[in-house]
Amino acid sequence: ETGVTQSPTHLIKTRGQQVTLRCSSQSGHNTVSWYQQALGQGPQFIFQYYREEENGRGNFPPRFSGLQFPNYSSELNVNALELDDSALYLCASSPRLDNEQFFGPGTRLTVL
Amino acid sequence: AQTVTQSQPEMSVQEAETVTLSCTYDTSESDYYLFWYKQPPSRQMILVIRQEAYKQQNATENRFSVNFQKAAKSFSLKISDSQLGDAAMYFCAYRPIQGAQKLVFGQGTRLTINP
């Protein structure tokens, strides 16, 4: 059974650019959550998708947007990148809304 | 809003000894879940142990156990017989039962194991 995978592993962008991060959920999982982890901090919830619909959002501006596809993989899009967007972005999937979340290895985004 | 606080930024322990990591949380809910996650340098978050708030019995997973004090809103993690592979960042997390199933994390405790 393949676990949660994320791509790319690392990414460097400049301020003002746009970025798309990808997450493949574990087989059989229909729920995906995204978290932002700044250096030295705990992860912060960005949003969650359940069966292709957004099911809750954290305190992040609208330039953070997402999608979930019919195969339950997901994308996180960030527009107009700011220096403070530099962080590790974690994706987690679960088989149901109320089940344990399984994390991917993350994407390290650096904004210069 | 729910918050989770880990007051120990760093802890260290001798190999084979026991260490306890502290966590407090704030919520107005009566039912919820609490977790301890481990994040090694590889960055992948790994679930260590889980506690349902409605269960009075403290959860145990091999060398890992918790002390759950619901009234005090305290949830500490005890690691017995510490091993070198236990070295990592440890995060305490809260998850509500109602609404979005989001995890609320603390700031983390860096655990060092001394050989």
Side-chain angles (χ1 to χ4, degrees):
Chain A
E1 184 179 274
T2 305
V4 180
T5 60
Q6 293 186 241
S7 62
T9 305
H10 296 91
L11 201 52
I12 299 175
K13 292 284 189 178
T14 56
R15 197 169 46 182
Q17 285 189 311
Q18 178 265 342
V19 68
T20 297
L21 309 182
R22 295 179 174 83
C23 171
S24 291
S25 57
Q26 195 164 320
S27 177
H29 290 193
N30 59 23
T31 303
V32 172
S33 304
W34 286 92
Y35 295 85
Q36 180 195 64
Q37 186 178 17
L39 195 62
Q41 302 292 319
Q44 299 281 321
F45 175 73
I46 303 175
F47 42 57
Q48 181 180 80
Y49 280 85
Y50 172 61
R51 292 184 173 181
E52 303 178 60
E53 297 287 330
E54 187 178 287
N55 183 58
R57 186 180 182 92
N59 190 25
F60 281 81
R63 60 190 185 83
F64 285 78
S65 63
L67 277 175
Q68 187 178 32
F69 300 99
N71 66 354
Y72 301 132
S73 65
S74 178
E75 285 183 356
L76 164 64
N77 299 290
V78 187
N79 294 321
L81 284 166
E82 300 178 358
L83 297 179
D84 285 349
D85 295 333
S86 295
L88 180 68
Y89 288 84
L90 297 168
C91 167
S93 74
S94 55
R96 292 193 316 268
L97 265 180
D98 59 350
N99 258 38
E100 173 192 341
Q101 296 182 19
F102 294 83
F103 283 82
T107 293
R108 170 75 65 191
L109 172 65
T110 302
V111 182
L112 302 176
Chain B
Q2 299 95 358
T3 58
V4 176
T5 302
Q6 294 178 247
S7 59
Q8 304 155 316
E10 296 184 0
M11 292 282 284
S12 64
V13 64
Q14 291 295 126
E15 193 176 2
E17 297 288 300
T18 295
V19 64
T20 299
L21 308 185
S22 301
C23 172
T24 59
Y25 59 95
D26 188 28
T27 182
S28 58
E29 302 294 324
S30 58
D31 286 329
Y32 45 87
Y33 298 104
L34 294 166
F35 305 86
W36 277 98
Y37 280 90
K38 169 185 176 181
Q39 188 177 41
S42 67
R43 311 182 318 204
Q44 189 141 9
M45 202 74 77
I46 301 164
L47 178 65
V48 174
I49 200 165
R50 159 185 170 144
Q51 174 81 43
E52 290 86 354
Y54 64 87
K55 290 185 178 178
Q56 293 191 347
Q57 187 172 3
N58 290 323
T60 299
E61 286 288 341
N62 301 315
R63 298 183 295 107
F64 299 87
S65 61
V66 298
N67 183 4
F68 173 48
Q69 302 289 326
K70 190 173 184 180
K73 295 181 181 175
S74 169
F75 183 62
S76 61
L77 174 70
K78 186 171 82 171
I79 306 174
S80 303
D81 186 25
S82 298
Q83 300 175 1
L84 294 177
D86 295 334
M89 284 292 292
Y90 284 81
F91 291 95
C92 177
Y94 165 100
R95 198 186 85 197
I97 288 180
Q98 301 296 328
Q101 302 298 299
K102 67 175 186 180
L103 289 163
V104 179
F105 286 89
Q107 306 93 314
T109 297
R110 181 175 302 281
L111 178 64
T112 302
I113 312 295
N114 300 313

